């Protein structure tokens, strides 16, 4: 893999990225990676920070009220016509 350090950002040529995409993504760390094509920056790839959504589970309990039948459109129709 042909990666070069440029300040805080690492760069990789598009052809190298295509050849080693899964390996590069598995090893991706902040601040990310810049993919270049013919020496020009093409795209920046940054890792997504892990988020703990556990506190959200059940957080709306008792705050939601259902009005009417949620399984009906409210329109009567004849299946035979």
């Amino acid at each position: 893999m042909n990666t070069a350090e440029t300040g805080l950002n690492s760069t990789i040529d598009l052809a190298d990225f295509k050849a080693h995409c899964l390996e590069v993504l598995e090893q991706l760390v902040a601040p990310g990676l810049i993919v270049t094509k013919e020496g020009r920056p093409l795209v920046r790839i940054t890792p997504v920070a892990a988020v703990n959504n556990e506190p959200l589970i059940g957080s709306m309990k008792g705050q939601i009220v259902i009005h009417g039948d949620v399984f009906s459109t409210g329109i009567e129709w004849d299946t035979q016509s």
Side-chain angles (χ1 to χ4, degrees), residues 1-80:
M1 231 175 326
N2 183 17
T3 60
E5 288 294 318
T6 58
L8 295 175
N9 298 318
S10 351
T11 62
I12 185 171
D13 184 66
L14 180 60
D16 290 337
F17 178 73
K18 285 172 64 175
H20 304 284
C21 179
L22 293 177
E23 179 185 345
V24 168
L25 293 178
E26 287 175 355
Q27 297 174 5
L28 191 61
V29 294
L33 181 69
I34 297 175
V35 179
T36 61
K37 183 176 182 181
E38 298 175 359
R40 295 184 331 257
L42 185 63
V43 65
R44 178 188 310 263
I45 302 172
T46 57
V48 176
V51 177
N52 181 9
N53 292 327
E54 203 169 304
L56 297 176
I57 297 173
S59 65
M60 297 293 292
K61 184 176 181 179
Q63 297 183 26
I64 298 174
V65 178
I66 298 174
H67 297 281
D69 185 1
V70 296
F71 297 106
S72 172
T73 62
I75 301 171
E76 289 189 29
W77 53 283
D78 183 11
T79 58
Q80 299 300 321

